[in-house]
Amino acid sequence: VKAPRTGVIGAKKANTREQGRLLRGVPEKKLNMLRIYGGSAKGRKILSPEIYHRPMMGKVREALFSMLAEFDVLREENTALDLFSGSGSVCIEALSRGIGKATFVDFAQSSVNAIVENLEICGFQDSGVACCARVEAVLENPTLFNIRTPVDLITVTPPYEEVDYGELLTSLAKSECVGEGSFVVVEYPVELGTLPPAVMGRLIGLRNRRYGRTVIAIYACQPNSFIDPRQEEFIPAV
């Protein structure tokens, strides 16, 4: 979902570097060695693709999965969709912590190659599928990518400077990837301000937490009654 950030959400532009640019002179297998922090693959080191990308920081990932465990979404019968996957670290972490199946989407072939290798490193080659595709194409026509039912967990970690978050959230809310009980995680920069507490009346904001310059928003579609939405977290501090 590429667009200049001129929508209702995302008018401010973060001070960021270009993502997806090839890194010259650095061997692929020595780039940003990442680690899985919990679950069956805890401690496994995974590879980054040979492009510049911004992986979710370890402390942020641990905080995110602590919240997801609270929502009881990390279950073997559930599925995940990792958008703007990069190395695949976020949903490989989800597989490690109990989610049953995951689909990874990135437009860079280098990222897809790294995801395939990382799934093998962690023993999840039968649980994950990597697709080289545009995120908007997957959201608009999920059946073309063998996604035939709503996904239980969608993680969205885009290159900050290349997306309009208003359009991105609208695409997510409209997508058939989202159904009753789906959780949607969106990472965004603090420079953006704050995302809205609800999107199109379909995605309800549950949590909105800041970790340094990174903010994680968690939404749900028709969340269960036992979940306490904390929409006040989406109100900017005065």
Side-chain angles (χ1 to χ4, degrees), residues 3-32:
R5 300 168 68 188
T6 56
V8 175
I9 305 164
K12 297 179 182 178
K13 187 167 184 178
N15 181 20
T16 52
R17 294 173 58 190
E18 181 182 359
Q19 181 164 331
R21 174 173 53 83
L22 284 174
L23 293 176
R24 304 297 182 184
V26 183
E28 180 173 358
K29 296 185 184 298
K30 292 186 179 179
L31 294 174
N32 293 330

Side-chain angles (χ1 to χ4, degrees), residues 34-46 61-62 88-97 118 121-122 124:
L34 304 171
R35 188 183 299 273
I36 301 302
Y37 286 90
S40 62
K42 181 178 179 179
R44 296 283 180 92
K45 293 180 178 180
I46 61 175
R61 209 177 339 141
E62 289 191 273
S89 62
V90 177
C91 275
I92 290 177
E93 187 86 39
L95 289 169
S96 180
R97 292 175 185 254
N118 288 334
I121 288 171
C122 295
F124 299 134

Side-chain angles (χ1 to χ4, degrees), residues 150-152 175-183 202 220-224:
V151 180
D152 299 289
S175 178
E176 293 180 1
C177 292
V178 174
E180 181 178 354
S182 294
F183 291 88
R202 191 161 188 244
C221 178
Q222 298 175 264
N224 291 328

Side-chain angles (χ1 to χ4, degrees), residues 118-138:
N118 288 334
L119 287 167
E120 293 178 356
I121 288 171
C122 295
F124 299 134
Q125 60 270 26
D126 295 329
S127 302
V129 176
C131 302
C132 188
R134 291 189 179 277
V135 165
E136 62 265 41
V138 175

Side-chain angles (χ1 to χ4, degrees), residues 59-109:
K59 68 176 183 178
V60 179
R61 209 177 339 141
E62 289 191 273
L64 167 62
F65 279 92
S66 176
M67 290 186 282
L68 293 177
E70 175 188 344
F71 299 143
D72 197 29
V73 67
L74 303 173
R75 306 173 67 173
E76 186 176 0
E77 64 268 27
N78 286 352
T79 58
L81 176 61
D82 191 344
L83 303 177
F84 305 100
S85 297
S87 65
S89 62
V90 177
C91 275
I92 290 177
E93 187 86 39
L95 289 169
S96 180
R97 292 175 185 254
I99 217 123
K101 299 286 184 182
T103 299
F104 301 80
V105 178
D106 201 286
F107 191 57
Q109 185 62 52

Side-chain angles (χ1 to χ4, degrees), residues 108-198:
Q109 185 62 52
S110 176
S111 289
V112 172
N113 294 344
I115 292 164
V116 170
E117 189 166 356
N118 288 334
L119 287 167
E120 293 178 356
I121 288 171
C122 295
F124 299 134
Q125 60 270 26
D126 295 329
S127 302
V129 176
C131 302
C132 188
R134 291 189 179 277
V135 165
E136 62 265 41
V138 175
L139 293 176
E140 289 173 6
N141 295 290
T143 57
L144 295 180
F145 301 89
N146 205 32
I147 301 171
R148 304 189 183 281
T149 57
V151 180
D152 299 289
L153 173 64
I154 302 174
T155 62
V156 190
T157 54
Y160 298 157
E161 68 282 353
E162 295 181 22
V163 297
D164 181 308
Y165 279 82
E167 292 183 4
L168 176 58
L169 288 174
T170 299
S171 295
L172 285 161
K174 289 181 175 180
S175 178
E176 293 180 1
C177 292
V178 174
E180 181 178 354
S182 294
F183 291 88
V184 179
V185 175
V186 182
E187 177 184 333
Y188 66 99
V190 69
E191 290 88 348
L192 200 62
T194 185
L195 296 186

